[in-house]
Every structure is written in C-alpha cells, then in structure tokens.
Amino acid sequence: MKTELKRSITRFGTGLLFAGALVMLAACSGNDRAHKPAELAPITNKFDLAPTWSVNVGSSEPFNFHPLVAGDAVYTSSKNGNLYKIDLQTGVTVWKVSVPEDLSVGPGSDGQTTVVVSTKGTVYAYDQAGAPIWNLNLGSEVLTEPVVASGVVVIRTLDSRFIGLDALTGARRWNYQRQQSTLSLRVGYGMLPINNEVIVTGFTGGRFGMLAIANGGLIWETPVSFPKGFSEIERLNDVTARPSIDGEALCAVSYQGRIGCGLARTGALMWFKDFSSYTGTAQSTEMVFAANEKSQVSAFATKDGSLIWESTKLMYRNVGEPLAIGRAVFMGDSEGFVHAISQSNGEILARIRHDSSPISAAPIAAGGLILIQSQGGKLAAYSPK
C-alpha cells in the first residue's frame, strides 16, 4: 500500500534494503498508524461530481500507479500486467493488452507509443493499436512512470539512472547518471514533462532539476532544502513528488525539508519554507497547495510564500497527490474518499466516496471530466455540476 511505499528506504552501495524498525523510524513524523484519522464531519456539497463512467482495471497495490491522458484516451494498467487504452468520454475500452510480466509502474504514452515497465525491469512498448513493437530489460528496478515525448521514452531507474530510448525501436539514445545518496526513499520520483522538450524532476538530497528530453542534458539543478539532523534517517531529504508548474512559476517540495517556488527557466527559487511532504504540490495562478505528512493541507502565495490558510480537517487521513482546478483542490484519501477543498479558504466544498481503497495518484482534469483511479483498480470519470 502507499503507506508502506512511502516508508521504504534503500541504502545504496551495500545493496541492503532497510525494513522493520528502520522503516517505521523513517516515517515516525508522519506515521498514520499511530494516529486516528480525522473523522469526516457531515457536509452539504456545494457542487456535485456526477459519475459519467467507471471501469475496474485491476489493483496496483502495493504500488501506486498513475493513469494518464493522451489525446482522446486514458491509458492505465494494473500490477498483474493488464494495460488499457480507454476512450476518455465514454469509458469504453479501446484495447486491452496482457503484458507478459507483473508491472511496477503505470504507463507512459504520447498516444502513439505506450510503454510500461515490469517488476523485473523490462520495458514493454506498444503501438497506437496495442500491438507490441519492442521490449528491453534495463537490469534495474523502476518505480517511476515513464515519459514518452518527442519520439523519446524516458525511463528513471531506482539507482538514479535516466535512460532515453527511441520510441519506435527501443534503441538507447542517451544516458544520464545521478550520484545516489547513501540513504534514500524507495519510491517513484515523479517526472513533469513540459512542452515535450524538458522534464523537471526531484532528486535525493533535497534537490530538483530540469533535463532535456532530446539528449538527457542537465539544464539546471537547484536545492529546495538541505539534509539536517544527526542520524541518516533524520537526514533523509528527497524531492520525490512530481513538481508542479503554472505559467513561469515552478514549485516543489521535499520530504523532511522545504516547499518552495521558483522560475521555470532557471530554477532559481523565489522563496522556500520548512515543510515535509511526499505527495507534492498543485498550483493555481496565485497559490500553491500541498499536504504535509500529517495530511494538514496548506495554501501559500506563489509569489512570496506567505501562508494563505491551513486546514486540519483531513489530518492523518493519508491524503494523496493534489489537483488544483477551478475553485477547488481535489485529493483522495486512504479510505477512498475524494475531497474538494476551496482554494480561497480551505473549506470542504464537496466530498464523494470513490471506493474503499486508497487514492494516492492525483485526479486528472481532462475533457471537462475529473478522472480518479484508486489503488484497488477503480477508474472513474466524474462531471462537475
């Protein structure tokens, strides 16, 4: 489950995976098992999220899969190897493919080439009709969803390698290797593609940066925060969540570190504040929203970081990645509820029960719909009314 993924820690160099007591220590500041989730007060929805269509695509547990939209279709997958292309407006399955192995991440796609990665580190690629076109074993575990853009498939491995593959043939076009921290979270590190030209992503050690999709070159790198504390557990300081962007403002947050916003062209931070999150940020024109590891939700002014509001209504509900759209911030929780929070004051505007399993991935706004997928495998489209 997501709570176990976010607590996983890997020590590189020795090849040992920390578990048990160390895993619990890593999440001591945000251990949802030690706290009772906040009870949900009854509300009257200010607007409705009317269900349009729903399909069960299969469980992703214990992983956290993200669906994606490319063109007029939704691409998604399940842990047991089922890969789907679904019509965005109707929910009708366009095609379904059975990948030969279990999967560790959701798909990447540009609508022409769709790729998934197995638990054994093999990349499988399919064309727009769902026919297999190539596969390649990378010899390393992958927990980050691939990006497909400008004819390149970008894969990020757990040992901090970025690999650019030709989307049509699978041939290697470039490699970029990061120096790995001694101790880091064993999770996916979200990649944010911008204009099919660059990727912005977080790194271990509290840093994030921008890479060129065409050649893997590092364009800039900026620290969000710096490790602090005496033990290696205390000094865990990774930017694991996918950064967010609105206009020229780019925002990121680190685990046991800071939240900050800067300029997308250079990465230079305009401000930063102490904050800890593994679920990332969402932005409107003037504000950035994030939930800390206790599920306290905060809104900051994008221009200077001043606190606009904070809400404890969802404390310890283990909320997932946020989506800011319209006047609301949408986020799911570990019990399958989806909450619409007012961007202006943090009040709960609406709530629905999607299903009973955790919702870790950010909702997606596309084609006038809000798409939500739970770890249990329910993918549904809702129409705000």
Side-chain angles (χ1 to χ4, degrees):
M1 295 178 63
K2 183 185 75 172
T3 52
E4 296 180 5
L5 275 179
K6 77 190 181 190
R7 293 172 185 164
S8 296
I9 308 168
T10 301
R11 179 186 291 275
F12 288 87
T14 64
L16 296 178
L17 176 66
F18 277 62
L22 273 183
V23 170
M24 296 302 293
L25 283 171
C28 62
S29 59
N31 187 350
D32 56 349
R33 295 180 183 176
H35 299 275
K36 183 178 179 180
E39 294 187 7
L40 298 178
I43 64 169
T44 300
N45 285 352
K46 301 295 192 301
F47 62 88
D48 292 326
L49 286 174
T52 300
W53 55 260
S54 175
V55 61
N56 193 312
V57 298
S59 172
S60 63
E61 293 182 299
F63 301 109
N64 175 24
F65 287 12
H66 298 70
L68 66 89
V69 173
D72 57 1
V74 187
Y75 297 84
T76 190
S77 57
S78 63
K79 179 181 179 296
N80 66 0
N82 289 325
L83 172 63
Y84 296 84
K85 178 180 180 179
I86 297 170
D87 185 271
L88 173 61
Q89 294 299 324
T90 66
V92 173
T93 298
V94 180
W95 51 254
K96 174 185 174 183
V97 170
S98 294
V99 183
E101 299 177 307
D102 285 354
L103 304 179
S104 59
V105 293
S109 182
D110 62 356
Q112 301 298 314
T113 301
T114 302
V115 299
V116 288
V117 187
S118 77
T119 54
K120 297 180 180 180
T122 300
V123 184
Y124 291 90
Y126 300 86
D127 66 16
Q128 58 184 332
I133 50 178
W134 54 265
N135 64 78
L136 176 69
N137 187 274
L138 300 176
S140 182
E141 188 173 15
V142 174
L143 295 179
T144 299
E145 264 87 8
V147 167
V148 185
S150 298
V152 180
V153 175
V154 182
I155 305 290
R156 178 176 183 161
T157 65
L158 191 59
D159 56 2
S160 289
R161 286 185 296 143
F162 293 80
I163 303 169
L165 305 173
D166 187 279
L168 295 180
T169 67
R172 296 199 185 209
R173 294 175 56 165
W174 53 261
N175 289 275
Y176 174 67
Q177 177 72 58
R178 292 286 304 178
Q179 182 177 357
Q180 184 65 45
S181 298
T182 303
L183 200 66
S184 63
L185 292 170
R186 186 181 176 277
V187 295
Y189 286 67
M191 298 190 292
L192 173 69
I194 303 175
N195 297 329
N196 290 330
E197 296 177 352
V198 298
I199 288 171
V200 180
T201 189
F203 304 128
T204 60
R207 308 178 75 85
F208 75 120
M210 178 181 285
L211 279 70
I213 292 175
N215 57 22
L218 182 66
I219 298 172
W220 55 254
E221 180 178 339
T222 299
V224 178
S225 57
F226 299 93
K228 55 187 177 181
F230 296 99
S231 71
E232 289 186 86
I233 297 295
E234 291 174 321
R235 292 175 63 81
L236 273 172
N237 187 228
D238 299 346
V239 181
T240 63
R242 182 173 53 185
S244 60
I245 189 170
D246 187 88
E248 287 294 313
L250 183 69
C251 301
V253 65
S254 60
Y255 173 74
Q256 296 190 153
R258 293 170 174 165
I259 185 173
C261 292
L263 300 175
R265 287 172 294 178
T266 64
L269 290 183
M270 300 180 288
W271 59 267
F272 52 80
K273 289 181 177 291
D274 288 345
F275 203 81
S276 178
S277 177
Y278 31 72
T279 56
T281 56
Q283 291 174 240
S284 64
T285 303
E286 299 180 348
M287 289 184 284
V288 56
F289 311 93
N292 67 13
E293 56 196 30
K294 297 178 182 178
S295 292
Q296 176 175 299
V297 185
S298 300
F300 302 92
T302 306
K303 63 179 181 180
D304 59 13
S306 56
L307 181 66
I308 307 300
W309 53 259
E310 58 185 9
S311 172
T312 59
K313 297 181 186 298
L314 303 178
M315 290 285 283
Y316 301 109
R317 295 195 63 83
N318 202 8
V319 298
E321 300 172 67
L323 164 71
I325 186 74
R327 59 182 175 133
V329 180
F330 294 88
M331 54 180 64
D333 70 18
S334 60
E335 295 180 351
F337 288 95
V338 179
H339 310 274
I341 305 169
S342 170
Q343 293 187 14
S344 61
N345 59 22
E347 292 299 311
I348 305 294
L349 298 176
R351 178 192 305 137
I352 62 169
R353 188 73 181 269
H354 176 73
D355 71 359
S356 59
S357 65
I359 301 170
S360 305
I364 299 172
L369 302 171
I370 303 295
L371 304 175
I372 297 167
Q373 181 172 326
S374 67
Q375 285 183 268
K378 180 181 178 180
L379 171 66
Y382 299 90
S383 177
K385 298 185 182 298

